[in-house]
Amino acid sequence: MDFALTQEQLGLQSAVRDLIATHVRAAHLDVVRAVVDSPESDGEPAGLWARIAEQGWPAVAVPEEYGGLGLGLLEAAVIARCLGAGVVPGPIAANLIGGEAIRAAGSPEQQSAWLPGLAEGRVRFAVALLRPAAAWDRPGDGVKAAGQTEGKLTGEVGQVEYAHLADRIVVAAETDDARAEVGLWLVDPAATGVSITRTPTLDATTRTSTLTLTGAEAEQLPGADAATVADLVSRATVLAANDLIGIAREALTRTVVHLRTREQFGRPIGSFQALKHHLADLLVGLTMAEHAGWYAAHALDAELPDAAVAVSVAKAKASDVARLATARMIQYHGGIGYTWEHETHIFFKRARRLEQTYGDAATHRARIAALTLG
């Protein structure tokens, strides 16, 4: 079966790459470095969100009736892959998943209240779906809803990305309702009983917080059940996988450029056979991951029967190849690759964070075995 992006999707990819190259200065990572070198900042490049909103990225999966583009996860994955290649800071992926939660599980009133603002970039979301140590398929573990009618949540979720910039946080929580063991709620970060504590992270291209809820008022998304929440986690996993794939492709590209120009013993070091074999193996693994990332997004959009396996295949391959590509990037750049001034560590640290986000390669390989072998 041939599987490739359409001309419209390639056009979107080109537009996203152009904006990143122009406004994030991807070649030298000037804007990214400003965020990395200022850990006390909010983690968002000045003016970037306005440009993103102008381009319609927040609207990519919002239905047209609410002012969105009415596209799917595959188009969102195109954006995520470009973000990874540019190691772009900001709450873009979390915002897309928050919008998916409203679209899939919100009431008509909630959709009308939130989706137009999301499409225009006026409102932003964060998501708290999994505790860091929770099993991949246990969304809501760590937060408990205090009864269906009370609408109050108690619990704690760590590593919530950009919670401090969100207008609402989409929280997965366990319920007492036998019909839905887990549900989704909208939490106002400024509400009583909500505490957001910024936490340090290895990857300085993002900002994470611990979200602590103590009888916090919350607005339930009535259409959410365990299957809805699992689908939302799958979608977030696919975006993380495609970000990793973008990181890996850019790390390989920059490494090859270096190997073509760096000379040793009177010849480019890229001509040495051992390095060529390593890079050839890496390219094969990366190409497989790239196709797996596109297919997983398509499988979820089309509700294909192998979607669950496709998600785990994509995340496992992406985690492995991004770890290897960024490690090789440091190794093959030699002494310069170990310095703070060079960009290698930025790619490596982002890859290490996303490798663990929504399950690492070992977790997803075990899930593939469970799904295929029972």
Side-chain angles (χ1 to χ4, degrees), residues 232-251:
L232 198 64
V233 173
S234 293
R235 290 172 179 273
T237 303
V238 168
L239 293 187
N242 279 282
D243 194 307
L244 282 163
I245 292 164
I247 293 169
R249 172 58 73 174
E250 184 67 13

Side-chain angles (χ1 to χ4, degrees), residues 192-245:
T192 302
V194 180
S195 173
I196 296 173
T197 306
R198 289 270 294 273
T199 53
T201 179
L202 174 71
D203 171 26
T205 68
T206 193
R207 298 291 184 266
T208 62
S209 300
T210 296
L211 174 67
T212 303
L213 305 172
T214 309
E217 297 284 350
E219 180 184 355
Q220 188 174 12
L221 298 181
D225 56 16
T228 308
V229 180
D231 180 70
L232 198 64
V233 173
S234 293
R235 290 172 179 273
T237 303
V238 168
L239 293 187
N242 279 282
D243 194 307
L244 282 163
I245 292 164

Side-chain angles (χ1 to χ4, degrees), residues 43-364:
E44 183 177 35
L48 179 60
W49 188 262
R51 297 186 181 100
I52 286 171
E54 289 173 2
Q55 292 290 318
W57 299 3
V60 65
V62 175
E64 292 182 45
E65 62 188 286
Y66 297 110
L69 300 179
L71 302 174
L73 182 64
L74 184 51
E75 286 77 13
V78 168
I79 295 173
R81 192 170 294 190
C82 296
L83 295 176
V87 286
V88 179
I92 305 165
N95 194 60
L96 289 170
I97 295 302
E100 286 289 84
I102 302 293
R103 179 192 61 79
S107 66
E109 294 76 18
Q110 289 169 328
Q111 292 173 345
S112 297
W114 292 108
L115 290 180
L118 172 69
E120 295 171 8
R122 291 185 289 105
V123 297
R124 294 192 279 188
F125 292 92
V127 292
L129 304 176
L130 294 175
R131 286 191 302 110
W136 184 86
D137 58 352
R138 284 289 304 277
D141 186 13
V143 178
K144 184 72 174 177
Q148 293 292 96
T149 58
E150 294 183 44
K152 294 184 178 181
L153 302 180
T154 295
E156 183 176 283
V157 183
Q159 298 180 18
V160 180
E161 295 180 27
Y162 291 97
H164 61 291
L165 295 182
D167 295 285
R168 289 293 185 274
I169 304 172
V170 179
V171 179
E174 296 178 344
T175 76
D176 294 325
D177 190 343
R179 296 168 299 173
E181 294 134 3
V182 63
L184 294 171
W185 279 262
L186 293 179
V187 172
D188 184 350
T192 302
V194 180
S195 173
I196 296 173
T197 306
R198 289 270 294 273
T199 53
T201 179
L202 174 71
D203 171 26
T205 68
T206 193
R207 298 291 184 266
T208 62
S209 300
T210 296
L211 174 67
T212 303
L213 305 172
T214 309
E217 297 284 350
E219 180 184 355
Q220 188 174 12
L221 298 181
D225 56 16
T228 308
V229 180
D231 180 70
L232 198 64
V233 173
S234 293
R235 290 172 179 273
T237 303
V238 168
L239 293 187
N242 279 282
D243 194 307
L244 282 163
I245 292 164
I247 293 169
R249 172 58 73 174
E250 184 67 13
L252 176 60
T253 299
R254 289 175 181 244
T255 301
V256 169
V257 169
H258 175 73
L259 296 181
R260 285 174 174 168
T261 56
R262 174 76 168 91
E263 291 191 357
Q264 190 77 15
F265 307 114
R267 54 190 286 202
I269 60 176
S271 65
F272 298 157
Q273 189 174 34
L275 298 187
K276 289 195 288 186
H277 286 179
H278 285 167
L279 293 176
D281 289 342
L282 180 57
L283 179 61
V284 170
L286 174 57
T287 302
M288 293 174 66
E290 287 175 333
H291 289 293
W294 291 147
Y295 181 74
H298 166 69
L300 285 172
D301 278 341
E303 299 181 358
L304 299 182
D306 63 344
V309 173
V311 169
S312 285
V313 168
K315 186 57 166 65
K317 287 185 175 296
S319 296
D320 283 340
V321 76
R323 184 192 333 108
L324 182 58
T326 53
R328 295 282 192 221
M329 185 184 191
I330 292 175
Q331 180 183 7
Y332 292 166
H333 275 79
I336 192 175
Y338 291 86
T339 64
W340 183 264
E341 291 76 14
H342 202 266
E343 69 269 15
T344 51
H345 70 96
I346 298 176
F347 287 91
F348 179 80
K349 291 170 182 175
R350 185 173 175 118
R352 291 296 288 171
R353 174 181 64 86
L354 286 168
E355 179 186 349
Q356 306 298 322
T357 302
Y358 297 109
D360 61 8
T363 297
H364 283 282

